[in-house]
Amino acid sequence: MRRILPVSLLLLLAFAESAAAFCGFYVAKADTKLWNQASQVVLVRDGDRTVLTMANDFKGDPKEFAVVIPVPTFLEREQIHVGEKAVIDHLDAYTSPRLVEYFDGDPCRQMVMRMNKMAAPAAEGLAAGARDDRARALGVTIEASYTVGEYDILILSAEESAGLETWLLESGYKLPKGAGPVLGSYLKQGMRFFVAKVNLEEQAKGGYQTLRPLQVAYESKKFMLPIRLGTLNAEGAQELFVYTLTRSGRVETTNYRTVKLPTGMDLPVATKERFGEFYKAMFGEQTRRENGEVVFMEYAWDMNWCDPCAADPLSEEELRKLGVFWVADGEPGPSTGIMPRPGPKSGARDVFVTRLHVRYDRDHFPEDLRFQETGDRSNFQGRYVLRHAWNGTSTCSQADAYRRTLPERFDKEAQTLASLTGWDISDIRRWSGVPEPAEPGEPQTAVPWWKRLWNEK
Amino acid sequence: MADPRLLQILVLSSLALYGAFGLELEIRPFHAAVTVVVALLTEAAGRRLRGEAFDPRSPLITALSLTLLLRTASPGVAALGALFAVGSKFLIRARGGHVFNPANFALVALLLTTDRAWVSSGQWGHVALLSLLLVGAGQLVIQRAQRGDVTWTFLATWSALLLARAAWLGDPLAIPWHQLQNGALLVFAFFMISDPRTTPRSRAGRSVFAVAVAVAGFVLVYGHYEPNGLLFALAGTAPLVPLLDRWLPGPVYLWNRTTETHHATHPARFSPAAPGLR
């Protein structure tokens, strides 16, 4: 059955079970179904020059794949490229929220994203000549037609949305309800449509097992990401990760608030076993508290270093593959040492990465995301701390005093976790081994009464 | 009648506190202090050079506006902002008064010259809408609507443009409604474009001015994807105010009609009959 889940890339986000050592070891393990639908895009931007990379992890039959993306300008053949998924995975790992264990270095969590379940069809589309005639009759202009890597790509413009909608439907795309007006709005704003399908011959020739990311380079004042077609999807809120690579500083949205993900908290040590769940629950709870109206910043860092490192910074070669055009050729890449770098080195690349994470739907995100680059180069990361208690057997007055502080500390960690995630504190106490605080005569409540007062679902 | 500037100082201070603690705007206390000190010093120096009495109220308002809107990681840029703002009052003058709203001038100058300054227009979010409307309205009441006409004409024009755009594009009403709820838009409308000293003197002139700013801002924001389009539009329209005053004359605005000490409000010197750069 042919389906198109339009434009906005629907991805599967997953955590890999990974134990690679960078600066310590990963402590996070999570199952592979963390997010069912998530898209990842990388936006490289300096001045009006933009390179957009869209991850593609479509796992179905390649002939079922098709994607429709609004783009701000006409694109020449050379402006379209097919990239490598591994680089996006590396960028994802480098910017992931991380779990840190004290006593043992900085464990981090690696996250691997999968993506994309776009759409559809057009396996038995019209022959090229007939296709063009039919398009003309409907007021649709096929401005260009390219084969790039394993993809057949069309650049479309149209006089009005009805013709475009008809053409797309006739060409085998199953558009979601309400797509017409949105297509019309983009057309009137002067945008083109980038339509890609898999060229099965090329794919077989190249021997590609999975579909590689599509990249487009263009010059436009529009520093934005079209998400409106994605909001038409009946399947509810969409998960989107935007990585930006810029020169002067972090990127924020100008028409929605950009909020930092809570970070730096001490959590029960047992959280280690369920870091993926924790991250997902925390993100959901924080989104809920912000009424689902904000974009979260999960990472903002100078690309020359990290501390603690969830993965090494990207090499210059990788950055160029993502389209960071201002990184000069031939310069030595960063050292691949496994310890955190203390700070930018001389000859450093001026690349600043921002990772934004947004859960959007039509009610809370009526408009496309608009961005601006700021001059803020301060570093930010989602980082969560596990403090292993000392459990030696020595006896002295300090040790006794230390042990007396532990129950309170453990309980506080459990409460922090409950507050961040909205999880039930009794459950947390149970699996983290924190005893319920003993207050004779008083029934135990999960959270202090004042937290319940304003924290209601 | 009480000097509206005192209330404005109170309102802007409250907004800065709310922004810092309620909205997590990155308002740094040190930057705020630097901005206030440099604004006051620049004002003192400027008044002294002109042989006038020092009054801290205007530079305080300017410093607070900058604290609310100017984002930078560098205290030097914050200081420069205050210097540009208050300095522009003494250096860029026409018909005996300053031309640009000081904070607006500094923001535009910094945005154009450095990538270390920015304005976080999205960070005001939507939760702030009600409170901003309330304080903004309170402010207008106190000003006895002397310049409320600018704010409301501007907002009406801006809304009409957004609605017209949505209608033309076939967009749902949720989109212009979302665009109108932008907190930064309300800060601009209530606390910057309404500056009585840099708006035209006559009601008709002010209406023309407000419409011009709205139209220019709309073209910049939605035609050219310039997130700070309104700030540029106001700075670009301000030099037309002396011309508007010549075309549509009106009385000079006095902050405080009983205890006016400002050079710039001396009526004989600034009558519309004697315009020009001084």
Side-chain angles (χ1 to χ4, degrees):
Chain A
M1 149 151 191
R2 299 203 219 133
R3 278 177 306 149
I4 175 163
L5 312 178
V7 179
S8 112
L9 329 174
L10 308 181
L11 322 165
L12 207 69
L13 170 80
F15 287 127
E17 302 219 1
S18 167
F22 290 100
C23 322
F25 38 80
Y26 291 112
V27 295
K29 291 179 184 164
D31 77 40
T32 53
K33 292 197 184 94
L34 200 55
W35 272 290
N36 289 324
Q37 297 182 343
S39 328
Q40 301 185 83
V41 300
V42 184
L43 265 170
V44 172
R45 174 113 173 157
D46 184 42
D48 285 348
R49 295 184 181 178
T50 310
V51 181
L52 171 67
T53 304
M54 295 156 285
N56 181 354
D57 223 14
F58 180 74
K59 292 288 190 235
D61 186 343
K63 74 178 185 216
E64 299 272 300
F65 172 86
V67 60
V68 180
I69 302 161
V71 287
T73 62
F74 175 73
L75 299 168
E76 305 269 354
R77 163 68 186 80
E78 291 74 22
Q79 289 175 269
I80 304 168
H81 186 249
V82 180
E84 292 172 23
K85 181 64 173 28
V87 185
I88 301 179
D89 291 342
H90 186 180
L91 183 60
D92 171 30
Y94 172 70
T95 56
S96 285
R98 58 215 62 202
L99 195 53
V100 179
E101 265 182 323
Y102 273 91
F103 80 19
D104 224 1
D106 320 292
C108 316
R109 189 207 56 171
Q110 191 185 34
M111 212 168 59
V112 172
M113 306 218 181
R114 299 226 186 120
M115 125 148 198
N116 213 348
K117 216 183 245 171
M118 277 172 216
E124 60 267 43
L126 301 163
R131 178 193 73 189
D132 292 2
D133 290 344
R134 179 61 182 146
R136 254 193 304 281
L138 289 166
V140 175
T141 310
I142 297 172
E143 296 192 325
S145 164
Y146 312 120
T147 300
V148 184
E150 64 269 43
Y151 296 101
D152 281 333
I153 290 157
L154 302 177
I155 307 295
L156 305 177
S157 65
E159 281 152 31
E160 40 90 46
S161 62
L164 180 62
E165 202 178 355
T166 308
W167 187 86
L168 287 169
L169 287 169
E170 286 183 3
S171 306
Y173 295 86
K174 198 165 177 184
L175 295 167
K177 215 176 141 208
V182 179
L183 296 175
S185 180
Y186 285 131
L187 284 175
K188 284 187 174 156
Q189 291 174 67
M191 297 186 72
R192 310 299 214 281
F193 288 89
F194 176 105
V195 180
K197 290 178 291 190
V198 174
N199 182 315
L200 295 170
E201 254 174 59
E202 291 295 326
Q203 197 210 10
K205 242 190 279 173
Y208 307 115
Q209 296 304 306
T210 52
L211 297 175
R212 296 174 297 164
L214 275 164
Q215 299 187 288
V216 292
Y218 54 86
E219 235 174 288
S220 169
K221 290 169 185 159
K222 297 178 183 177
F223 189 13
M224 53 84 77
L225 206 57
I227 60 168
R228 288 181 59 199
L229 282 165
T231 63
L232 297 175
N233 199 297
E235 293 175 43
Q238 309 275 312
E239 211 77 25
L240 171 68
F241 292 83
V242 182
Y243 311 87
T244 61
L245 297 166
T246 47
R247 280 180 113 149
S248 67
R250 74 178 164 81
V251 166
E252 65 183 20
T253 37
T254 60
N255 55 350
Y256 299 97
R257 281 180 73 207
T258 303
V259 173
K260 289 174 179 164
L261 200 67
T263 185
M265 285 80 175
D266 288 3
L267 302 176
V269 171
T271 308
K272 182 174 172 174
E273 309 305 325
R274 53 196 84 207
F275 185 53
E277 277 171 66
F278 156 75
Y279 171 39
K280 190 183 175 192
M282 176 184 64
F283 188 80
E285 174 70 6
Q286 300 306 317
T287 300
R288 191 185 62 75
R289 284 194 201 171
E290 298 285 356
N291 296 320
E293 286 172 345
V294 305
V295 174
F296 283 96
M297 181 168 84
E298 295 188 332
Y299 197 73
W301 212 276
D302 185 313
M303 183 49 97
N304 290 295
W305 64 298
C306 41
D307 181 16
C309 295
D312 263 353
L314 273 64
S315 69
E316 308 219 330
E317 195 195 348
E318 288 177 303
L319 290 172
R320 271 195 306 277
K321 284 178 177 169
L322 286 173
V324 184
F325 51 84
W326 62 88
V327 174
D329 284 276
E331 281 180 27
S335 82
T336 48
I338 61 169
M339 290 316 293
R341 283 145 199 81
K345 295 175 296 186
S346 61
R349 297 95 36 102
D350 55 341
V351 180
F352 198 89
V353 59
T354 311
R355 169 180 166 129
L356 301 171
H357 181 180
V358 54
R359 180 173 295 171
Y360 65 92
D361 61 23
R362 190 168 18 170
D363 289 343
H364 301 96
F365 285 84
E367 284 187 88
D368 290 329
L369 301 176
R370 287 170 163 237
F371 303 102
Q372 72 174 357
E373 184 180 3
T374 73
D376 186 6
R377 295 187 75 90
S378 43
N379 294 322
F380 173 83
Q381 60 184 340
R383 173 177 164 277
Y384 309 92
V385 182
L386 307 182
R387 289 185 197 279
H388 289 269
W390 172 75
N391 56 4
T393 52
S394 316
T395 49
C396 63
S397 60
Q398 288 93 335
D400 292 343
Y402 168 79
R403 289 193 187 97
R404 275 197 299 277
T405 63
L406 288 179
E408 194 186 331
R409 184 178 111 186
F410 292 152
D411 197 66
K412 192 163 169 245
E413 290 170 352
Q415 291 189 22
T416 303
L417 182 59
S419 156
L420 282 176
T421 56
W423 284 344
D424 184 78
I425 193 152
S426 299
D427 286 348
I428 295 172
R429 288 194 175 115
R430 189 166 37 70
W431 56 253
S432 67
V434 176
E436 297 277 343
E439 277 180 54
E442 281 247 295
Q444 285 303 320
T445 51
V447 213
W449 65 271
W450 62 87
K451 290 203 174 183
R452 292 225 151 156
L453 185 57
W454 292 299
N455 236 8
E456 286 162 342
K457 300 262 184 295
Chain B
M1 165 173 127
D3 185 334
R5 284 176 297 180
L6 293 177
L7 184 82
Q8 191 169 354
I9 289 169
L10 189 71
V11 167
L12 291 174
S13 310
S14 314
L15 269 179
L17 289 172
Y18 174 57
F21 297 105
L23 293 173
E24 297 173 49
L25 295 186
E26 299 208 355
I27 293 175
R28 305 181 191 203
F30 179 61
H31 287 189
V34 165
T35 307
V36 168
V37 168
V38 173
L40 289 174
L41 287 176
T42 312
E43 176 83 11
R47 292 289 172 207
R48 176 161 231 188
L49 284 174
R50 293 177 68 89
E52 295 161 1
F54 171 73
D55 183 333
R57 287 172 293 190
S58 287
L60 264 179
I61 289 175
T62 300
L64 285 165
S65 301
L66 284 176
T67 300
L68 281 178
L69 294 170
L70 175 62
R71 297 279 81 82
T72 176
S74 149
V77 171
L80 209 59
L83 183 71
F84 281 0
V86 180
S88 77
K89 280 204 302 189
F90 298 104
L91 295 176
I92 308 172
R93 301 175 68 83
R95 44 144 205 178
H98 53 279
V99 173
F100 294 103
N101 170 274
N104 178 234
F105 177 82
L107 289 169
V108 165
L110 289 174
L111 287 171
L112 289 176
T113 54
T114 171
D115 58 8
R116 301 177 70 189
W118 68 98
V119 177
S120 283
S121 49
Q123 293 306 90
W124 289 89
H126 302 139
V127 284
L129 177 67
L130 186 66
S131 44
L132 274 171
L133 270 176
L134 284 175
V135 292
Q139 161 83 1
L140 288 174
V141 170
I142 293 300
Q143 283 202 21
R144 302 274 163 94
Q146 284 191 46
R147 289 298 186 270
D149 52 358
V150 182
T151 298
W152 294 114
T153 308
F154 165 77
L155 283 176
T157 311
W158 185 254
S159 309
L161 288 168
L162 291 183
L163 286 170
R165 175 178 184 269
W168 179 64
L169 292 175
D171 285 345
L173 279 179
I175 288 182
W177 178 235
H178 182 259
Q179 289 161 341
L180 278 174
Q181 286 183 72
N182 184 317
L185 173 74
L186 296 172
V187 172
F188 176 83
F190 285 108
F191 302 108
M192 188 167 279
I193 194 179
S194 56
D195 175 7
R197 299 298 300 279
T198 51
T199 42
R201 292 167 183 168
S202 67
R203 184 164 284 252
R206 290 196 290 276
S207 300
V208 173
F209 174 75
V211 170
V213 173
V215 169
F218 179 81
V219 170
L220 288 172
V221 174
Y222 293 103
H224 294 267
Y225 275 71
E226 169 50 59
N228 303 306
L230 281 172
L231 295 173
F232 288 112
L234 178 58
T237 312
L240 304 179
V241 170
L243 298 177
L244 279 173
D245 280 342
R246 197 185 295 198
W247 174 38
L248 300 162
V252 175
Y253 183 82
L254 306 179
W255 278 118
N256 184 329
R257 288 168 192 223
T258 52
T259 61
E260 183 52 53
T261 55
H262 279 178
H263 158 88
T265 52
H266 193 283
R269 202 166 162 187
F270 306 113
S271 66
L277 217 75
R278 285 165 200 253

